[in-house]
Amino acid sequence: MKILSVSQLREADRFTIEEEGVPSLELMERAATQCFEWVTKRFRGNAPFVIFCGRGNNGGDGLALARLLRGSGRKVRVLILEHTDHSSDDWKHNLERLKKTGYDPEHIILTDVFPEVPQDAILVDAVLGSGLRSVVKSLVAEFTEYWNELPNRKIAIDIPTGLFGDSNEENDLSKVARADHTLTFQVPKISFLLPETGELCGEVIVLKIGISTKFFEEVDSKYFFTSAEDLRPLLKHRNKFAFKNQMGHGLIVAGSYGKFGACVLASRAFLRSGAGLLTVHIPEKGLNILQTAVPEAMVIPDRNEKMITEMRPPEGFQAVGIGPGIGVNYATRSALQGFFKDHKEPVVLDADALNLIAEHRELIDMIPRNSILTPHIGEFRRLTGVETRGFETLETLIKVAETSRTIVVLKGPYTAIADPYGYIHFNSSGHPAMATAGSGDVLTGMITSFMARGYEAIDAARLGVYIHGRAGEIAAENRGTESVVAS
């Protein structure tokens, strides 16, 4: 699914209205109806709703939602912020429709004191939408400060007031109205997917309102949002007469003294992800550990007891994963450099392999093309030498993938996968419970397994990241957010 910029989303609305004959009021009604259905399923009790509306189309969504909630018998209080003298035609129409139900909203001007609200009230932010281009001020700034001090459950319609939909480099994030849930339309905004701004949105729910599919098919975008529906057609299915040698043979180079657990986790994940055979290169002292913990794996012990000191050119392997727990000592760095000299096929690089590359930057140009790098944000900053944040991180991510001709998997919420052609695929699965030791080792094993199965590198990365995230969601459902471990 393509992710569009704010200007492209505005053009998508225009195209739907003008080319497909859907009135703007109808789009607003669809948006309000989708919001109504979500909030009434999510909040089934008798708690009242307090809806804050601006005077634009975002406020029109809020007015329409208020009417639908009143029609269902829910208690609703509407407060309109008089932050401008201008109102959209659709806003005026929905204000009149709400008044016809016998309810007249309250109005707040700059000199007013914001009202007290019941602690059990559900608050809805429909003040400013995604068209905002400057830091909020005056009445709206007072509103966001008031809003953020309230302890209530909070819902933002389309986007939290004060947040920009794209880059927020010029914004003051302290003046954004934080939400527990953001109900957005058709596709997520780019700012929702970045740590610094996404945390302001809480849970993001994407509601479909029938924006033109033709427009989405024809418009260009370098950002995509990966779902199960996108990946399902890529899945390879086992032939009834298949045997293990046909299912791919992978090599994992991992482990050092005190870090053999990383090798165990990556190896188990590799075998759980469908490949037929696994060989593991591990320091000699890890031999008994691995053959006990992962009896299905074959082992090549290094001549050194405690560290990796050799990486032979792999023959007979369809994929290689290097890095979990290997350490950053000189001998291992020399082994990695020798491997790069002799091996030109794509590899999966993670953890200490990336740390070695960051410390010895001459190795970057030796990485085989189409290799998959899987850094978390700290490793990525070490690789680039730049403390990037927000939208700037995406630009740097694209540059690294393009210049190194690799696939870079920047791990985190909505993991961003950059390919060598300037595209970024955001992942839709995952759970905070996955912020635990060893999660990255599991992902390395999974992606290496998919590579061994014969998937193209970008598909192996996208599949590995999505299924890894989905497994984390299931684990959290079964174990609880605080109790999930990588194994």
Side-chain angles (χ1 to χ4, degrees):
M1 175 172 62
K2 292 177 182 176
I3 300 175
L4 306 187
S5 67
V6 169
S7 60
Q8 287 175 319
L9 285 170
R10 191 178 300 112
E11 183 64 17
D13 285 347
R14 186 205 62 76
F15 186 92
T16 304
I17 293 166
E18 296 180 4
E19 302 297 327
E20 298 193 356
V22 180
S24 59
L25 267 173
E26 171 61 21
L27 282 181
M28 187 173 287
E29 191 69 13
R30 290 180 189 177
T33 300
Q34 289 293 314
C35 292
F36 167 78
E37 291 179 356
W38 187 87
V39 299
T40 51
K41 288 178 182 177
R42 184 68 171 75
F43 303 101
R44 295 182 179 273
N46 296 317
F49 286 85
V50 179
I51 303 178
F52 295 86
C53 297
R55 293 176 64 92
N57 284 342
N58 191 241
D61 293 335
L63 294 172
L65 173 61
R67 169 173 45 82
L68 294 172
L69 286 169
R70 279 180 53 79
S72 70
R74 302 298 290 264
K75 296 179 181 178
V76 181
R77 183 182 184 186
V78 178
L79 300 109
I80 297 174
L81 270 66
E82 297 293 345
H83 60 95
T84 178
D85 295 331
H86 304 288
S87 306
S88 72
D89 291 339
D90 292 348
W91 180 90
K92 294 175 182 176
H93 179 88
N94 273 297
L95 177 62
E96 291 305 312
R97 291 191 69 183
L98 178 60
K99 287 182 176 180
K100 286 179 180 178
T101 68
Y103 179 80
D104 196 356
E106 303 168 53
H107 296 259
I108 298 176
I109 61 175
L110 186 59
T111 57
D112 287 339
V113 176
F114 283 93
E116 293 186 8
V117 296
Q119 289 190 354
D120 66 336
I122 299 158
L123 309 185
V124 178
D125 166 19
V127 176
L128 294 178
S130 57
L132 184 68
R133 295 185 180 87
S134 59
V135 179
V136 297
K137 55 187 178 180
S138 189
L139 180 60
V140 179
E142 289 191 12
F143 161 73
T144 61
E145 181 179 1
Y146 154 81
W147 170 277
N148 287 335
E149 290 176 354
L150 294 171
N152 303 62
R153 181 66 63 179
K154 299 167 184 173
I155 302 169
I157 302 298
D158 191 34
I159 189 170
T161 289
L163 187 66
F164 302 165
D166 300 328
S167 172
N168 279 264
E169 302 299 324
E170 304 299 324
N171 200 1
D172 181 352
L173 297 183
S174 69
K175 295 184 178 180
V176 175
R178 302 177 70 100
D180 299 301
H181 314 278
T182 297
L183 309 184
T184 198
F185 306 120
Q186 213 65 32
V187 295
K189 312 293 188 292
I190 295 170
S191 61
F192 296 177
L193 310 178
L194 304 175
E196 294 82 3
T197 46
E199 68 174 1
L200 304 173
C201 304
E203 178 190 14
V204 175
I205 299 93
V206 179
L207 304 174
K208 301 296 184 180
I209 60 171
I211 297 297
S212 171
T213 56
K214 181 181 178 182
F215 182 88
F216 272 82
E217 290 169 358
E218 295 178 353
V219 70
D220 291 328
S221 177
K222 60 183 179 182
Y223 302 115
F224 296 84
F225 196 58
T226 299
S227 66
E229 289 70 27
D230 298 317
L231 297 175
R232 193 169 285 116
L234 302 178
L235 291 175
K236 297 178 182 291
H237 300 282
R238 290 175 180 247
N239 184 289
K240 180 179 179 180
F241 297 99
F243 61 100
K244 61 186 178 183
N245 300 72
Q246 294 177 323
M247 302 309 296
H249 188 176
L251 172 68
I252 288 180
V253 182
S256 60
Y257 193 72
K259 297 181 180 178
F260 292 129
C263 185
V264 171
L265 290 168
S267 299
R268 285 178 174 171
F270 177 97
L271 290 164
R272 289 287 188 184
S273 300
L277 293 165
L278 172 63
T279 296
V280 180
H281 183 164
I282 193 171
E284 193 274 334
K285 272 193 176 294
L287 176 62
N288 290 338
I289 294 172
L290 193 78
Q291 296 216 294
T292 302
V294 193
E296 299 88 351
M298 296 173 283
V299 180
I300 301 173
D302 197 277
R303 63 172 177 257
N304 189 287
E305 289 188 339
K306 297 184 177 182
M307 66 183 73
I308 298 291
T309 61
E310 55 189 344
M311 296 186 198
R312 302 166 188 165
E315 297 179 0
F317 300 108
Q318 284 73 55
V320 182
I322 303 174
I326 62 175
V328 292
N329 56 78
Y330 174 81
T332 304
R333 191 270 293 175
S334 297
L336 182 62
Q337 186 172 17
F339 177 86
F340 285 159
K341 285 180 179 178
D342 297 329
H343 184 73
K344 302 304 178 185
E345 295 300 315
V347 295
V348 181
L349 299 170
D350 181 39
D352 284 333
L354 300 176
N355 291 327
L356 283 168
I357 293 167
E359 289 183 9
H360 305 276
R361 307 189 71 79
E362 69 275 10
L363 296 177
I364 292 177
D365 293 334
M366 300 178 70
I367 299 172
R369 288 192 172 195
N370 257 352
S371 290
I372 301 174
L373 284 59
T374 62
H376 56 59
I377 187 62
E379 292 164 341
F380 182 71
R381 287 171 179 163
R382 287 194 287 274
L383 276 172
T384 61
V386 181
E387 289 285 327
T388 57
R389 295 187 182 279
F391 202 78
E392 184 185 7
T393 299
L394 296 184
E395 296 172 339
T396 304
L397 182 62
I398 290 174
K399 182 178 179 181
V400 170
E402 287 180 331
T403 55
S404 65
R405 307 303 295 168
T406 62
I407 294 156
V408 185
V409 178
L410 182 56
K411 296 180 292 193
Y414 305 111
T415 290
I417 304 170
D419 67 25
Y421 307 103
Y423 296 103
I424 289 183
H425 303 263
F426 290 96
N427 183 53
S428 62
S429 67
H431 194 279
M434 299 171 71
T436 186
S439 287
D441 305 322
V442 172
L443 180 62
T444 297
M446 295 177 69
I447 294 176
T448 306
S449 184
F450 287 127
M451 289 280 281
R453 286 290 308 276
Y455 287 94
E456 295 293 329
I458 185 63
D459 294 338
R462 293 172 67 209
L463 276 167
V465 168
Y466 180 85
I467 297 173
H468 181 254
R470 185 70 189 105
E473 292 171 354
I474 295 169
E477 291 170 7
N478 294 331
R479 299 279 184 171
T481 299
E482 305 300 333
S483 299
V484 171
V485 294
S487 58

